[in-house]
Amino acid sequence: MLKRLTEKITAEVMDVQETRQREKVQVEESELYDIDFVIRIDKRNFQILGFTFLFLIIMFLRIFATDFLEIIQYHRIPEFSMFHRVVFFVLVGVGILFLLLCMILWLLPSLHVVRSQISYRNKTYHYSEISMIRVSSIKVATVYAGKKKLFRISGDYVNYATFLSWAEKCHIPIQQPGIFKR
């Protein structure tokens, strides 16, 4: 009689635990239902790089303005010093690097988070596949599936904080700088 009562209580406790687990999953799924955002490079980075390049062009024109005025006034070709040549080639090199950097930043793939899934480079990962997110001190989040690194997200990306809060809602372990869990 006591054995049956114990089994019955154990079965009820297990049933209650399963019900709570199902309710918890339903609540988590309902919290994730409205989530839909894109993680991409911030457009302000292009503006900052553009203004930097514009500043370099203005400095280039200022340095060479005196020589151009000499050409106009005296109708003779000035001799460019070594300083002028170095400045010219440095500015051309910086311009080429600027264009390459803009192309690289423009072509970076974006991430798309919809409910409990994240898509990156035509691959979709469920949050249960993500084992850990490690955030460095310079706000770069590295996402891992097992021991394999999937991708990195810089703090300069749009919706970086939203991604980390999504990960917390999905109960993905996040290692912050200075917090070491073994």
Side-chain angles (χ1 to χ4, degrees):
M1 181 85 157
L2 186 61
K3 188 176 181 181
R4 285 187 192 166
L5 187 60
T6 307
E7 289 175 1
K8 187 175 181 181
I9 291 174
T10 306
E12 288 179 14
V13 168
M14 294 296 285
D15 189 40
V16 168
Q17 287 177 347
E18 288 175 9
T19 306
R20 285 185 183 168
Q21 185 65 26
R22 272 189 262 123
E23 288 175 357
K24 185 179 177 182
V25 168
Q26 287 174 352
V27 167
E28 288 175 1
E29 298 267 331
S30 67
E31 287 178 359
L32 296 175
Y33 183 73
D34 296 334
I35 293 178
D36 184 9
F37 59 92
V38 176
I39 304 167
R40 58 178 162 68
I41 194 75
D42 195 357
K43 301 285 186 207
R44 289 180 292 172
N45 292 342
F46 294 112
Q47 293 173 350
I48 291 169
L49 290 173
F51 285 125
T52 304
F53 188 63
L54 184 64
F55 177 75
L56 288 173
I57 290 174
I58 291 171
M59 289 295 109
F60 171 75
L61 293 176
R62 186 185 178 307
I63 289 172
F64 287 100
T66 56
D67 292 330
F68 292 134
L69 288 175
E70 186 177 318
I71 292 171
I72 293 171
Q73 285 180 347
Y74 301 112
H75 301 290
R76 64 178 182 191
I77 298 174
E79 294 182 19
F80 293 107
S81 67
M82 187 58 128
F83 172 74
H84 287 96
R85 292 177 187 155
V86 168
V87 168
F88 175 74
F89 286 114
V90 165
L91 290 176
V92 168
V94 168
I96 291 170
L97 286 176
F98 169 73
L99 291 175
L100 288 174
L101 185 62
C102 283
M103 288 182 354
I104 290 170
L105 290 177
W106 190 260
L107 295 175
L108 282 176
S110 61
L111 295 116
H112 192 93
V113 177
V114 179
R115 297 184 183 133
S116 61
Q117 296 179 342
I118 184 165
S119 299
Y120 178 72
R121 290 189 178 173
N122 299 326
K123 294 180 184 175
T124 303
Y125 303 98
H126 191 265
Y127 75 85
S128 61
E129 296 176 47
I130 299 174
S131 62
M132 172 182 63
I133 298 175
R134 182 175 290 151
V135 180
S136 70
S137 60
I138 57 172
K139 290 188 175 181
V140 176
T142 308
V143 180
Y144 293 93
K147 293 188 178 188
K148 180 185 174 194
K149 180 175 73 169
L150 297 177
F151 51 85
R152 286 185 173 176
I153 303 170
S154 172
D156 296 333
Y157 279 50
V158 175
N159 292 327
Y160 172 81
T162 308
F163 173 73
L164 291 179
S165 65
W166 171 82
E168 286 178 2
K169 283 183 181 179
C170 294
H171 304 291
I172 299 171
I174 300 174
Q175 286 187 353
Q176 299 286 345
I179 302 173
F180 299 104
K181 296 179 181 177
R182 294 183 187 220

